[in-house]
């Protein structure tokens, strides 16, 4: 058996996933260590669910799964709202291949890219709610877009029934190795003295990398200069060439340049250090209390999908995530396994939408 891929580094001893502008008290490390192991390995929503349980609001979250008789009746289409070849596409194909056998029907991946993932998301939102058309949704299409767009044709909370949030991934704050910035404190000091001059590149407005930078500015009372590109590759190239000051970049991609000495990592956006960059502190460790941000990916069905269909899909996905093949894939990509059940995923999405709306409003970005 392969060693298991790391679970989410959100735990009951960590900060809540609902990242607000204010800093909230968390359980102490000692309290977290005293929790049972299975609780310590819970998902991104663990802290929020602990609060809900204490107030009696989560009574329905642990209901047993019920298999859907006769489902699926035909091939299942899994829509990827981006072009082929990206991480979302690769993940969808891995999951689709793993669950097609147990479901007894092919899972066909269909790429419907456009508008930051919202074209494909809207297609699924308006599809028949029978479990035969699903979405591989991401942070942007299923949370951030609702905060940035007044004309979004769907509601991420009410127009989808989540099957599972599958993986999460933190980012790394990286600078050119030849830059003058050697720590998060250096960045904060410079940004305070020189507002809107410290540049950070992203794949575009509203992406998780963009919003992670906005959250950094809010938490540090600084104003960074956002430089949007058409993709991460172009932003990374300019960072390596010295045209940018920094990026909140994908750990898998940036770690290779960190190892070769071309980039310097100042911090990771997770609540604990990442296994690919064990010597790099978290941004919270580096001095920003309560700072944490993740991108995530999950599978969604149209709203109104029968609960037994969601349960059937989740049961097969959860089993697939434990396979040696997928565990190896996750570890190689730097992903943290979530395997969040439908009810928890639903609450998680509602919290994510609220969180990013708060960041957008506080940063003065505003919907378009």
């Amino acid at each position: 058996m392969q060693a298991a891929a790391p679970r989410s580094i959100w735990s009951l001893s960590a900060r809540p996933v609902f990242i607000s502008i204010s800093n909230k008290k968390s359980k102490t490390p000692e309290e977290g260590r005293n929790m049972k192991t299975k609780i310590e390995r819970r998902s991104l929503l663990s802290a929020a669910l602990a609060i809900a349980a204490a107030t009696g609001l989560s009574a329905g979250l642990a209901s047993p799964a019920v298999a859907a008789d006769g489902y699926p009746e035909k091939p299942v289409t899994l829509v990827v709202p981006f072009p082929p070849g990206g991480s979302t596409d690769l993940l969808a194909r891995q999951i689709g291949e793993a669950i097609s056998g147990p479901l007894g029907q092919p899972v066909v991946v269909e790429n419907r890219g456009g508008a930051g993932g919202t074209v494909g998301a809207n297609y699924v939102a308006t599809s028949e709610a029978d479990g035969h058309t699903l979405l591989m949704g991401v942070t942007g299409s299923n949370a951030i877009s609702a905060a940035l767009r007044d004309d979004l044709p769907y509601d991420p909370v009410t127009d989808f029934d989540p099957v599972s949030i599958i993986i999460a991934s933190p980012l790394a704050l990286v600078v050119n190795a030849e830059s003058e910035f050697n720590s998060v404190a250096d960045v904060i000091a410079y940004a305070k003295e020189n507002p809107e001059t410290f540049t950070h590149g992203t794949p575009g407005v509203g992406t998780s990398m963009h919003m992670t930078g906005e959250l950094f500015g809010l938490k540090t009372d600084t104003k960074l200069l956002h430089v949007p590109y058409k993709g991460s590759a172009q932003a990374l190239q300019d960072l390596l060439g010295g045209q940018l000051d920094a990026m909140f970049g994908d750990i898998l991609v940036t770690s290779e340049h960190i190892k070769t000495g071309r980039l310097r990592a100042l911090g990771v956006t997770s609540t604990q250090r990442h296994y690919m960059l064990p010597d790099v502190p978290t941004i919270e460790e580096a001095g920003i209390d309560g700072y944490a941000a993740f991108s995530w990916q999950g599978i969604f069905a149209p709203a109104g999908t029968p609960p037994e269909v969601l349960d059937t899909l989740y049961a097969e996905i959860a089993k697939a995530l434990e396979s040696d093949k997928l565990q190896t894939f996750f570890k190689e990509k730097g992903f943290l396994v979530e395997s969040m059940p439908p009810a928890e995923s639903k609450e998680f999405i509602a919290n994510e939408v609220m969180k990013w709306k708060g960041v957008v409003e506080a940063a003065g970005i505003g919907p378009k």
Side-chain angles (χ1 to χ4, degrees):
M1 293 289 291
Q2 294 282 342
R7 293 281 174 173
S8 168
I9 45 186
W10 288 92
S11 68
L12 289 180
S13 61
R15 298 280 176 176
V17 65
F18 181 31
I19 306 171
S20 63
I21 306 308
S22 62
N23 297 323
K24 295 186 178 182
K25 296 291 184 181
S26 65
K27 288 184 179 290
T28 66
E30 289 73 22
E31 289 174 313
R33 284 192 291 269
N34 288 334
M35 295 292 179
K36 293 180 180 179
T37 301
K38 67 178 181 180
I39 296 178
E40 290 178 332
R41 295 177 66 185
R42 287 179 72 190
S43 67
L44 286 163
L45 191 57
S46 58
L49 289 176
I51 295 170
T55 56
L57 298 177
S58 59
L61 297 183
S63 58
V66 178
D69 291 337
Y71 172 81
E73 299 175 344
K74 58 185 179 180
V76 175
T77 299
L78 179 54
V79 174
V80 173
F82 301 104
S87 63
T88 305
D89 180 67
L90 294 174
L91 178 61
R93 293 179 190 280
Q94 291 278 349
I95 296 294
E97 180 182 345
I99 67 174
S100 61
L103 288 177
Q105 289 283 357
V107 176
V108 180
V109 174
E110 182 177 317
N111 298 89
R112 286 180 173 264
T118 61
V119 171
N122 187 54
Y123 174 80
V124 174
T126 55
S127 296
E128 188 173 355
D130 59 2
H132 291 94
T133 304
L134 306 173
L135 171 72
M136 182 61 75
V138 300
T139 317
S141 63
N142 287 76
I144 294 175
S145 291
L148 287 173
R149 288 182 55 182
D150 278 336
D151 62 345
L152 194 67
Y154 58 87
D155 186 310
V157 178
T158 62
D159 288 338
F160 293 97
D161 283 335
V163 176
S164 178
I165 302 301
I166 295 174
I167 59 96
S169 180
L171 303 173
L173 173 57
V174 293
V175 297
N176 190 294
E178 297 181 1
S179 81
E180 62 186 281
F181 304 106
N182 294 297
S183 67
V184 171
D186 288 345
V187 173
I188 296 172
Y190 178 87
K192 283 184 178 293
E193 293 179 6
N194 304 277
E196 297 188 84
T197 57
F198 183 87
T199 57
H200 73 105
T202 77
V205 175
T207 59
S208 58
M209 295 176 184
H210 173 206
M211 301 308 290
T212 296
E214 295 294 340
L215 184 62
F216 182 94
L218 291 170
K219 285 284 189 180
T220 58
D221 194 27
T222 60
K223 188 68 175 176
L224 311 183
L225 180 59
H226 175 224
V227 183
Y229 288 79
K230 292 184 178 180
S232 296
Q234 293 175 319
L236 179 61
Q237 198 60 41
D238 274 1
L239 179 61
L240 291 169
Q243 285 80 47
L244 277 177
D245 289 317
M247 272 186 72
F248 287 91
D250 178 83
I251 285 181
L252 175 65
V253 175
T254 57
S255 63
E256 296 303 313
H257 296 289
I258 293 165
K259 291 174 183 175
T260 59
R262 299 187 68 190
L263 293 179
R264 179 186 303 125
L266 306 184
V268 292
T269 65
S270 45
T271 54
Q272 295 178 19
R273 297 190 182 202
H274 194 277
Y275 64 91
M276 280 189 168
L277 300 171
D279 296 326
V280 178
T282 68
I283 290 180
E284 182 172 37
E285 278 184 279
I288 305 179
D289 187 41
Y291 185 93
F294 290 79
S295 60
W296 45 261
Q297 300 184 48
I299 292 182
F300 297 78
T305 299
E308 58 270 23
V309 170
L310 300 177
D311 287 340
T312 296
L313 285 166
Y314 173 69
E316 297 305 335
I317 290 170
K319 281 188 261 183
L321 296 181
E322 297 296 332
S323 69
D324 287 351
K325 182 178 180 180
L326 279 177
Q327 289 285 316
T328 299
F329 173 75
F330 293 140
K331 288 174 67 178
E332 289 175 348
K333 299 298 181 185
F335 294 149
L336 306 171
V337 180
E338 288 300 330
S339 189
M340 193 184 294
E344 293 185 13
S345 297
K346 188 79 170 179
E347 188 173 352
F348 171 73
I349 294 300
N351 281 347
E352 279 286 282
V353 171
M354 196 181 306
K355 173 185 74 179
W356 291 119
K357 281 185 176 179
V359 172
V360 165
E361 290 172 4
I365 302 171
K368 296 180 180 179

